[in-house]
Amino acid sequence: MSAVRTQWASPGCLHSPRFSTRSVKIAVCVKFPATIKTLLLKQSFALTRLLNPPHSLSMSFSSSSCMDGSYAEIVVVRHGETEWNADGRIQGHLDVELNEAGKQQAALVADRLSKEPKISAVYSSDLKRALVTAETIAAKCGRLEVITDPDLRERNLGELQGLVFREAAKLSPKAHKAFLSHRTDQDIPGGGESLGHLFQRCTSSLQRIGNKHKGERVVVVSHGGVIRSLYKRACPNGKSGGKVLNTSVNIFHLCDEEWTIKSWGDVSHLQQTGYLESGFGGDKTSG
């Protein structure tokens, strides 16, 4: 049973989120009646929100139920910041490079990952902002070759691409309305993708990677909209994962068709560095 898919309420042994700060750690894995389990989860989440501001919330979940090494551990990282992120401009499939802050963020996450368990492979979207981030990580983690996959690209946002988000409703009202729609089959005018199409291509990509790398730890560098779709695949009935910050670390365990989230939204490598930016994207306005 997937720990994340059932984190809010499930029968049997409840693997609740494990949240941590420098001085507080909470871990729960006990059997309770459903009403008590739900209350405990609410209290645990509320405490974490109190200890960690929402924009920097880092969550740790219990590990996969496949404890025999038959799962792949996939470290999914959002690319570093771009000038368009900083300006609130919609990127989509447009190929925008990292700014100086983004390059520093990439270096910091690379240094962090180089000190953690061995990375066997590095995959990336073929867009420059993700690819350069991935190349920085690969060079630091054993001079690995980056494997690119267009299915890891950000959502194609059609007519909205290149627009400043706050001006999009005025400049392209139909596309803006389609973008805000909750319908998964709603395409965006100008060749933009539906949420359903984005979900299908990026989750299929991660599944392929997971099938290929069982028993290994790999890195995937992608985009805010993609990572939110991956969260939805692992946790279809859970609350939103919130904003995906630039170079945040999100760890998935894939055991065949079962997806589990081990940790989410970790930007501890950026704390007290001056590069913890709140760049545009990574949430419902992702692009």
Side-chain angles (χ1 to χ4, degrees):
M1 180 173 292
S2 170
V4 174
R5 282 182 289 172
T6 59
Q7 65 173 300
W8 309 114
S10 68
C13 183
L14 174 66
H15 295 273
S16 74
R18 183 174 66 252
F19 304 99
S20 66
T21 66
R22 294 179 179 177
S23 59
V24 178
K25 291 187 178 180
I26 301 174
V28 180
C29 182
V30 293
K31 291 186 177 181
F32 290 114
T35 54
I36 297 178
K37 289 191 296 185
T38 302
L39 178 60
L40 286 171
L41 283 171
K42 289 181 178 179
Q43 290 176 337
S44 179
F45 192 79
L47 177 58
T48 305
R49 285 285 183 176
L50 179 63
L51 294 172
N52 301 274
H55 73 276
S56 62
L57 181 62
S58 175
M59 298 187 287
S60 294
F61 301 96
S62 59
S63 61
S64 171
S65 59
C66 299
M67 300 303 292
D68 57 359
S70 63
Y71 62 83
E73 180 163 282
I74 305 180
V75 182
V76 180
V77 179
R78 186 185 174 203
H79 62 80
E81 186 184 87
T82 69
E83 283 303 319
W84 283 27
N85 285 152
D87 294 341
R89 192 173 296 275
I90 299 171
Q91 298 173 123
H93 278 196
L94 298 183
D95 211 2
V96 184
E97 298 189 10
L98 298 179
N99 61 14
E100 287 305 312
K103 293 175 182 177
Q104 290 297 324
Q105 290 170 337
L108 288 164
V109 74
D111 184 64
R112 169 197 171 152
L113 293 174
S114 71
K115 298 173 182 176
E116 295 181 356
K118 179 184 176 182
I119 301 297
S120 299
V122 178
Y123 289 80
S124 177
S125 156
D126 59 347
L127 297 176
K128 290 177 183 177
R129 56 192 184 273
L131 182 56
V132 172
T133 303
E135 289 173 341
T136 304
I137 293 169
K140 192 74 173 180
C141 295
R143 299 186 181 278
L144 299 169
E145 179 182 355
V146 177
I147 304 165
T148 58
D149 185 350
D151 284 343
L152 294 170
R153 282 187 176 191
E154 181 60 280
R155 182 184 180 188
N156 187 323
L157 295 169
E159 293 179 4
L160 297 177
Q161 296 181 160
L163 300 181
V164 175
F165 182 74
R166 63 180 177 273
E167 300 172 355
K170 179 180 178 181
L171 297 175
S172 189
K174 290 184 179 180
H176 183 261
K177 182 178 179 180
F179 177 65
L180 296 181
S181 172
H182 294 293
R183 286 177 47 188
T184 58
D185 61 349
Q186 176 65 66
D187 294 328
I188 297 177
E193 292 178 279
S194 67
L195 287 170
H197 186 269
L198 169 67
F199 181 91
Q200 180 60 37
R201 69 168 167 84
C202 69
T203 58
S204 294
S205 175
L206 204 73
Q207 186 67 63
R208 291 193 300 269
I209 294 169
N211 292 342
K212 184 177 180 180
H213 292 282
K214 287 184 179 180
E216 298 179 323
R217 191 170 195 252
V218 301
V219 169
V220 169
V221 182
S222 192
H223 307 263
V226 168
I227 297 172
R228 285 167 60 81
S229 288
L230 300 179
Y231 180 95
K232 187 66 175 177
R233 167 64 175 81
C235 188
N237 299 316
K239 296 182 180 179
S240 169
K243 188 176 180 67
V244 182
L245 295 176
N246 292 111
T247 68
S248 60
V249 171
N250 311 280
I251 302 178
F252 292 74
H253 282 182
L254 271 62
C255 179
D256 296 324
E257 297 294 319
E258 179 184 336
W259 290 32
T260 307
I261 295 179
K262 182 181 179 183
S263 66
W264 182 259
D266 188 348
V267 288
S268 57
H269 51 283
L270 300 182
Q271 299 290 350
Q272 299 178 348
T273 65
Y275 293 106
L276 181 56
E277 304 293 339
S278 56
F280 174 75
D283 57 11
K284 65 181 180 180
T285 64
S286 188

